[in-house]
Amino acid sequence: MNPNTLSQSFLRLVTIMDELREKCPWDKKQTIHSLRNLTIEETFELVDAILEESPEAIKEELGDVLLHILFYSKIGSENNWFDIQQVIDHVSEKLIRRHPHIYGEVKIQDEEEVKRNWEKIKQAEGKKGILSGVPKSLPAMVKALRLQEKTKQVGFEWENISQVWDKVEEEILELKSAIKNTEQNEIEEEFGDVLFSLVNYARYLKIDPEAALEKCNRKFKLRFEYIEKHADRALTDMSLTELDALWNQAKLKDKTLL
């Protein structure tokens, strides 16, 4: 990567953004609020590309996300809030400050110590609490994982994985009890506890629960589409046994379907 070429490419994109903001009727109308949902959409498109492990798609979606960063920075500059240089300088300074084991004299042993130091530095910077940096709008499963990762850094953690599974089983028993009582609010609460404990168990297994569930979603979709494609009549006219037989056929062909 040539630094001069990189600088030219970046400045070219900045210039294009400036020109679009000045000349394009759609771009001129946008605000930070009108861009918000589009940014979320672009982020999920990037996630899709990552799940598909498609380098070309990842490259394209990263470009779209970068464009949004420039767009917000342009609007920030127009309102005298900040500009793209301040955005870049701010994150550079933060990375240097939060990596004293690279840019300072701090010695660390492993990844976990890096994470603990990161949280300590954030607290020293004036963060309100350990969990204050977890976005409210994160999807619930991702948020559960982040909450658990954050509290782990201060030692709020089970000693071993068998204790985590015991907690899963305990929550399942509480859910079964709530179902017997047929109290819907209690059932919902206990069901949430089961999911939260399973997310924690996935973390101990070093599995990303969101990615695991998404793989399951994609697998289910492909198998059901196989059923639709190979059914000899309307699905509503078929018995569950017949549908299940096609489902099992799809399972045998999973490697070719996925």
Side-chain angles (χ1 to χ4, degrees), residues 222-235:
L222 288 169
R223 287 177 182 177
F224 194 81
E225 288 171 344
Y226 178 92
I227 292 174
E228 290 178 312
K229 182 178 179 180
H230 292 84
D232 57 5
R233 57 190 186 282
L235 299 187

Side-chain angles (χ1 to χ4, degrees), residues 137-150:
S137 56
L138 273 180
M141 184 170 290
V142 178
K143 185 188 292 185
L145 181 62
R146 293 297 292 133
L147 291 171
Q148 293 165 5
E149 289 174 338
K150 291 279 189 179

Side-chain angles (χ1 to χ4, degrees), residues 30-164:
Q30 301 313 306
T31 68
I32 56 172
H33 301 291
S34 66
L35 286 174
R36 176 179 174 273
N37 285 339
L38 296 175
T39 305
I40 293 171
E41 182 179 337
E42 294 294 354
T43 303
F44 277 106
E45 288 179 0
L46 173 59
V47 171
D48 284 347
I50 292 170
L51 288 171
E52 293 166 4
E53 298 185 1
S54 169
E56 280 301 312
I58 293 171
K59 179 179 70 175
E60 179 177 351
E61 300 306 335
L62 283 172
D64 291 343
V65 171
L66 176 58
L67 178 61
H68 275 243
I69 293 170
L70 286 174
F71 212 147
Y72 286 112
S73 298
K74 178 64 177 176
I75 295 172
S77 178
E78 292 168 354
N79 287 278
N80 294 316
W81 297 337
F82 55 82
D83 59 29
I84 187 61
Q85 183 174 344
Q86 290 173 311
V87 170
I88 294 171
D89 287 343
H90 181 79
V91 71
S92 295
E93 291 162 6
K94 182 168 67 174
L95 287 171
I96 291 171
R97 188 170 62 250
R98 294 187 182 178
H99 289 79
H101 54 288
I102 302 297
Y103 302 102
E105 303 300 323
V106 173
K107 305 296 182 183
I108 55 96
Q109 299 297 322
D110 53 27
E111 174 192 358
E112 291 304 318
E113 194 170 350
V114 171
K115 292 179 180 178
R116 286 194 294 271
N117 283 343
W118 182 281
E119 291 300 332
K120 289 178 183 177
I121 294 168
K122 286 177 67 175
Q123 294 302 305
E125 291 172 352
K127 299 295 181 182
K128 295 179 181 178
I130 294 294
L131 303 179
S132 62
V134 179
K136 296 177 181 178
S137 56
L138 273 180
M141 184 170 290
V142 178
K143 185 188 292 185
L145 181 62
R146 293 297 292 133
L147 291 171
Q148 293 165 5
E149 289 174 338
K150 291 279 189 179
T151 55
K152 174 187 177 181
Q153 303 310 319
V154 294
F156 194 69
E157 183 86 324
W158 294 106
E159 293 180 0
N160 58 68
I161 193 170
S162 63
Q163 294 173 313
V164 185

Side-chain angles (χ1 to χ4, degrees), residues 199-214:
V199 168
N200 202 29
Y201 191 62
R203 186 170 60 85
Y204 274 76
L205 293 173
K206 301 188 184 306
I207 292 171
D208 179 344
E210 179 76 12
L213 181 58
E214 179 53 27

